[in-house]
Amino acid sequence: MFKKQMVLDDVILFRTGKPFNTTAVIKEITDDFDNSDDFPYFEVKEYENYYEFVYEMDKDDYVYGLGEQLGALNKRGKEYKLYSTDDPIHTPEKGSLYGSHPFAFIDGSKKFAFMIDFPGEIVFDIGYTHKDLMTIKVPSKDFDFYLFDIEDKYEVIKKYLELTGSPFVPPKWSWGFQQCRWSYPDADTINNIAESFRKDGIPCDAIYMDIDYMKDYKVFTVDEEKFPNFEDFAKNLKKDGFKLVPIIDPGVKIEDNYSVYEEGKENNYFCKDKDGEDFVAAVWPGLTHFPDFLNKEARKWWGEKYKFFTDKGIYSFWNDMNEPSIFYSLKGFNKLVEIGENLRGNEDMGIKSFLAKEQMFDMANNREDYKSFYHRADDGSTVNHDLVHNLYGYFMAKATVEEGFDNIIPNQRYLLLSRSSYLGHHRIATIWMGDNMSWWDHMLVQMRMLQSLNMAGFFYTGADVGGFGSNASPELVIRWMQLGAFTPLYRNHSALGTREQEPFAFDEETKDIMRDIIRLRYSLIPYSYSEYMKSVSELRPFIKPLHMDYEGKRVKEIEDQYMYGDSIMVAPVHTQNAKGRFVHLPGDDKWLCWVASKYDERKMSIYFPGDFYVDADLNEIPLFIKENKLITISEPMNYVGEKEIEEITVIGLVTDKAEFTYYEDDGETKDYQKGKFAEALITVEKEGNEYKFSVEKDEHENPETGETYELAIKRIKFEIYDEHGNIIENTIEI
Ligand code: MIG
């Protein structure tokens, strides 16, 4: 039985029972419900313990959404199990990854969208069992179902974000390049990496610290032997423009006198088993307890722990392993020992170790283990983990931000990556896409996920550039670095035991090409940052699949081209040994093609709509600037904020009128929310054969201090193309 409420125009909430308060939705829901059984679009089937929603798909219906998932952009033809899972083998048939985002769009004979706010497993069978039926199974009688009876996808996303909150804004430096590896084992290694970037003139803004920085993998500790004078080490790197980003794992090592363990145990901050004992699971540190992030007191305790780092000027983190990933539980391990016992005597056949290994894999991330522990929710109730499983990573981020940063560094912007996430996570943090591989296919996987995640509110996200697992060839890393330059999170990461992937880990030519790509990325930051801030304030995705802007089945099938901001369509080369690729240019607009390699080298040509093979040598990536749209570039720097940007160059193909809003703020604090920012409205207009250029400054006043935020740019250069490819140049001092 459902009751319903109109929560926003054309957004109807259908509620059954007493849903767990996931806090995915921040819009206040009143008690003002009507009883109703008229559920549009779906046939609703009620069973003893669950509901099923069945939608009969038209043969031409497309289904988009579900955020972080594998497989095609159009979700039709597969089964998805939304149950957050640490699965490092991202092959196309997999139906569960680290995050759960039950929000989907039907785009076909009927157009609408829906979101199911339920934190346990939801199974989406989208034309898998029966090719034209979508069946969604929610194993509960307590959840919220939001129906967006809206055709336009931008409008749906806007309403979705009005419900769940606008996407978070990381510091400006997070548009810089970021280097990671599991692991840089000690301070010397990290200092050498930093030095190599500067010595080689390769811009870089952040270096990550993976699990080996900790003492015996104990969270909120630093191994002082490997990192002596940690505070000075962090300070010195910062002086040189490098931000350190430590990993944080939730499992707290069981070890007497380790303060995090002692405090958690004493105050009952850990998840409990059915007997009320602290639940034991093995992860990196060995046997651990899991903090109960669903409990406010525990969140507060955890959030304050980040002070250990924020006091040292470190404000950015990656919360890993928070599905939570379990190697094995104590119960599982005891079983294994039994099996081992049974196998005694067979040692020399080698079978014991083999079987044990198989068993170990079976034991990891086991559903029985998830069913065997409990949370104490904020309302005092005890909840079985399995029913709220998909919240763990999101609530860890809430602990980090709402109970941590909001108190200890309230005005500071931060970059917080999390591996696991749920609906609503995007407003306080973001995710990276987890353990991909150095496989060509995974570049396509990244592009699909990037588009889907943007539709789910994760505007700033990205995957491990170059691939995490397995070994990358120089060609693969180059192509991936090109793609990565057009994803918000631009982080190269690789796994322990795999080939090194830093720009200088390869031959000189590869390094030179990678330097040029990274410099191109930095030169585009004035564009990327301006467009990002606009997308957040307008609640329009920053990355857009072509089907968001164009109609027709041709564009709906395009997965490897997307809009990066409103002006650039990017078409990365993502296949082995390719020297170019096919590109579809949609709509009626012409496109200014920039086969880009160096930021200051223009290889431009004008294209009309249609399908083309575009050449792109190993050092080149095809970019298409939309007719009557503009981009802005500047001189690259070693790191974001090294120098003030005083001059930008505006590039575009203008046949009528083009406008661009260039945006500036301090890039580090939340003061922009109080008006501490400035914009320049740049206009290029063609009248007859004449071009008119204008720049209007909009420097805001901070209502609290009365201060005006002044633009740093002083000069705007124009490189405008007409439809014949002629260049019109101009400079305006402002
Ligand atoms: O079990 O910390 O996704 O980025 O390098 C593996 C080591 C744990 C998984 C993360 C990956 C990270 C790795 N972690």
Side-chain angles (χ1 to χ4, degrees):
M1 265 306 242
F2 287 88
K3 48 187 186 176
K4 74 172 180 185
Q5 176 175 149
M6 184 84 98
V7 287
L8 290 171
D9 283 350
D10 303 315
V11 182
I12 312 160
L13 162 60
F14 292 89
R15 172 169 289 179
T16 171
K18 286 201 177 70
F20 185 84
N21 182 16
T22 65
T23 71
V25 169
I26 50 168
K27 165 119 190 15
E28 209 200 319
I29 307 295
T30 68
D31 291 329
D32 201 5
F33 282 95
D34 292 333
N35 282 326
S36 158
D37 279 332
D38 63 336
F39 214 105
Y41 303 113
F42 292 93
E43 184 193 344
V44 181
K45 297 185 179 171
E46 184 172 356
Y47 297 93
E48 200 185 332
N49 302 316
Y50 63 97
Y51 273 100
E52 255 178 18
F53 300 86
V54 182
Y55 179 68
E56 211 172 307
M57 295 184 287
D58 194 76
K59 79 175 196 341
D60 293 328
D61 279 357
Y62 291 76
V63 182
Y64 297 113
L66 299 187
E68 187 180 30
Q69 277 293 346
L70 292 161
L73 201 54
N74 177 1
K75 292 287 168 280
R76 198 165 170 164
K78 201 180 143 172
E79 186 181 58
Y80 307 86
K81 287 194 173 140
L82 275 63
Y83 194 80
S84 299
T85 304
D86 169 16
D87 184 337
I89 313 290
H90 300 182
T91 41
E93 81 287 1
K94 298 284 173 70
S96 309
L97 271 187
Y98 314 94
S100 296
H101 314 113
F103 172 47
F105 300 69
I106 308 296
D107 182 0
S109 54
K110 300 193 181 84
K111 294 178 200 287
F112 62 94
F114 60 97
M115 165 178 119
I116 304 173
D117 187 6
F118 174 68
E121 180 184 72
I122 307 179
V123 180
F124 282 73
D125 177 336
I126 309 182
Y128 175 71
T129 303
H130 183 294
K131 76 178 180 22
D132 296 327
L133 289 184
M134 173 165 75
T135 305
I136 301 152
K137 181 175 169 184
V138 187
S140 172
K141 292 282 177 95
D142 301 292
F143 60 90
D144 281 341
F145 188 116
Y146 293 82
L147 195 113
F148 299 74
D149 202 359
I150 299 169
E151 294 207 343
D152 182 65
K153 280 173 270 185
Y154 281 114
E155 198 51 34
V156 171
I157 293 171
K158 187 159 175 262
K159 291 275 164 65
Y160 162 78
L161 294 174
E162 280 170 22
L163 287 181
T164 58
S166 65
F168 108 116
V169 175
K172 188 174 183 184
W173 69 255
S174 49
W175 292 88
F177 176 67
Q178 307 174 36
Q179 185 65 58
C180 189
R181 178 162 170 89
W182 174 24
S183 277
Y184 297 130
D186 50 31
D188 286 346
T189 308
I190 293 186
N191 283 328
N192 286 337
I193 293 281
E195 216 182 286
S196 302
F197 275 106
R198 294 294 177 255
K199 192 178 82 231
D200 280 326
I202 302 173
C204 182
D205 262 272
I207 301 180
Y208 282 64
M209 296 169 70
D210 208 322
I211 46 176
D212 291 293
Y213 78 81
M214 290 179 263
K215 174 86 183 132
D216 303 328
Y217 304 125
K218 280 182 287 189
V219 62
F220 302 118
T221 69
V222 169
D223 187 328
E224 281 167 20
E225 261 170 50
K226 297 190 258 170
F227 292 88
N229 306 318
F230 182 67
E231 195 159 353
D232 290 343
F233 160 71
K235 261 197 208 123
N236 288 333
L237 281 167
K238 208 166 193 176
K239 260 190 242 145
D240 209 6
F242 289 101
K243 276 63 66 180
L244 278 178
V245 186
I247 199 169
I248 304 288
D249 282 2
V252 174
K253 185 174 176 63
I254 300 176
E255 184 186 280
D256 287 340
N257 300 322
Y258 164 41
S259 64
V260 183
Y261 164 73
E262 296 281 1
E263 289 163 21
K265 188 178 158 79
E266 195 172 310
N267 297 295
N268 284 314
Y269 291 148
F270 297 129
C271 295
K272 303 280 185 189
D273 66 17
K274 66 174 191 329
D275 303 320
E277 300 293 325
D278 292 335
F279 174 71
V280 181
V283 261
W284 287 110
L287 297 182
T288 70
H289 295 316
F290 287 149
D292 186 356
F293 295 124
L294 271 68
N295 181 274
K296 179 139 183 133
E297 292 305 310
R299 283 203 299 281
K300 197 160 174 310
W301 163 69
W302 187 266
E304 279 167 8
K305 291 277 167 246
Y306 287 80
K307 212 166 172 309
F308 176 79
F309 292 105
T310 57
D311 282 351
K312 301 174 178 64
I314 293 172
Y315 308 128
S316 293
F317 301 88
W318 48 320
N319 289 348
D320 190 20
M321 302 292 276
N322 51 11
E323 294 71 29
S325 185
I326 298 179
F327 292 172
Y328 53 85
S329 66
L330 199 52
K331 225 167 61 197
F333 188 74
N334 288 336
K335 251 196 237 155
L336 181 72
V337 172
E338 269 170 41
I339 293 169
E341 289 288 326
N342 297 344
L343 288 169
R344 190 155 297 189
N346 292 325
E347 279 91 339
D348 39 354
M349 288 164 65
I351 197 169
K352 178 180 171 183
S353 59
F354 174 73
L355 275 188
K357 206 168 139 211
E358 287 290 294
Q359 280 297 126
M360 288 295 262
F361 279 121
D362 281 354
M363 285 194 319
N365 308 321
N366 190 300
R367 190 78 183 257
E368 288 312 306
D369 286 333
Y370 290 129
K371 287 182 179 163
S372 77
F373 66 95
Y374 297 83
H375 300 276
R376 274 151 313 132
D378 291 348
D379 65 5
S381 61
T382 300
V383 191
N384 183 254
H385 174 77
D386 188 56
L387 290 173
V388 291
H389 173 73
N390 294 339
L391 290 179
Y392 197 73
Y394 169 43
F395 272 62
M396 182 181 182
K398 282 168 75 83
T400 311
V401 175
E402 293 173 356
E403 269 80 36
F405 300 165
D406 286 356
N407 297 320
I408 57 184
I409 45 165
N411 200 36
Q412 186 71 44
R413 274 195 250 168
Y414 55 85
L415 175 59
L416 177 61
L417 309 181
S418 168
R419 201 170 61 182
S420 187
S421 63
Y422 182 70
L423 302 168
H425 184 106
H426 65 268
R427 73 173 176 271
I428 53 169
T430 191
I431 56 171
W432 86 101
M433 298 174 196
D435 297 346
N436 59 4
M437 297 272 189
S438 299
W439 296 342
W440 287 95
D441 293 356
H442 275 187
M443 289 177 67
L444 180 59
V445 166
Q446 168 171 7
M447 287 189 269
R448 289 162 162 167
M449 236 186 255
L450 187 65
Q451 297 171 67
S452 271
L453 280 168
N454 261 259
M455 292 178 80
F458 292 85
F459 291 2
Y460 180 96
T461 181
D464 292 347
V465 171
F468 174 71
S470 70
N471 295 325
S473 70
E475 186 203 4
L476 177 83
V477 180
I478 287 173
R479 289 305 193 188
W480 211 324
M481 287 290 287
Q482 291 167 345
L483 161 62
F486 293 88
T487 66
L489 170 64
Y490 191 22
R491 183 182 79 150
N492 177 320
H493 182 33
S494 55
L496 184 71
T498 65
R499 186 176 187 185
E500 289 173 5
Q501 237 160 248
E502 297 80 12
F504 29 81
F506 299 91
D507 56 279
E508 283 295 308
E509 193 192 333
T510 300
K511 181 172 83 184
D512 291 346
I513 295 175
M514 280 164 73
R515 179 194 298 109
D516 287 340
I517 303 163
I518 298 175
R519 280 165 61 82
L520 173 69
R521 157 80 175 208
Y522 274 74
S523 81
L524 274 158
I525 291 177
Y527 165 78
S528 308
Y529 191 60
S530 301
E531 287 289 280
Y532 188 79
M533 296 308 276
K534 184 181 82 178
S535 70
V536 170
S537 80
E538 294 180 355
L539 305 180
R540 280 162 57 88
F542 174 77
I543 300 284
K544 288 163 286 263
L546 296 191
H547 68 72
M548 297 275 306
D549 290 334
Y550 299 94
E551 284 299 321
K553 80 168 199 265
R554 183 76 184 86
V555 291
K556 286 194 163 92
E557 287 166 12
I558 292 175
E559 306 189 323
D560 63 349
Q561 298 170 217
Y562 56 84
M563 296 301 299
Y564 178 82
D566 280 331
S567 308
I568 299 180
M569 182 180 68
V570 51
V573 175
H574 59 93
T575 49
Q576 193 178 346
N577 294 318
K579 295 279 180 284
R581 55 161 288 170
F582 281 99
V583 178
H584 177 70
L585 300 177
D588 307 317
D589 301 310
K590 292 187 259 315
W591 298 84
L592 176 62
C593 172
W594 181 9
V595 180
S597 52
K598 292 182 174 24
Y599 84 98
D600 53 357
E601 240 174 60
R602 306 276 185 275
K603 201 168 161 186
M604 319 297 262
S605 49
I606 312 273
Y607 276 79
F608 286 78
D611 287 273
F612 304 92
Y613 184 86
V614 178
D615 290 325
D617 275 341
L618 185 56
N619 61 337
E620 296 173 330
I621 174 170
L623 308 176
F624 294 85
I625 305 168
K626 200 167 163 171
E627 181 177 3
N628 295 318
K629 294 276 180 193
L630 303 171
I631 67 166
T632 49
I633 64 170
S634 65
E635 289 271 323
M637 311 178 184
N638 285 312
Y639 56 90
V640 173
E642 185 191 18
K643 294 174 241 157
E644 291 258 50
I645 297 178
E646 295 192 341
E647 179 182 296
I648 55 171
T649 301
V650 176
I651 304 174
L653 158 64
V654 180
T655 57
D656 182 15
K657 181 178 179 185
E659 291 179 328
F660 185 82
T661 305
Y662 170 80
Y663 174 94
E664 269 181 23
D665 63 16
D666 67 24
E668 278 174 20
T669 72
K670 296 180 184 167
D671 286 348
Y672 70 94
Q673 295 169 345
K674 302 182 203 136
K676 200 173 159 197
F677 67 96
E679 291 174 326
L681 178 64
I682 301 167
T683 311
V684 180
E685 203 170 352
K686 188 177 183 205
E687 280 179 7
N689 284 329
E690 294 295 296
Y691 278 84
K692 277 196 347 206
F693 302 84
S694 69
V695 178
E696 216 177 285
K697 287 199 213 179
D698 191 3
E699 295 175 327
H700 289 251
E701 199 175 283
N702 182 335
E704 275 167 31
T705 61
E707 268 170 58
T708 303
Y709 189 79
E710 284 176 26
L711 280 170
I713 43 161
K714 307 257 175 306
R715 192 171 318 104
I716 301 185
K717 288 188 161 178
F718 291 87
E719 274 178 40
I720 301 301
Y721 293 76
D722 70 10
E723 58 236 81
H724 309 293
N726 301 314
I727 308 184
I728 300 95
E729 283 176 306
N730 194 9
T731 302
I732 294 186
E733 310 280 337
I734 64 168

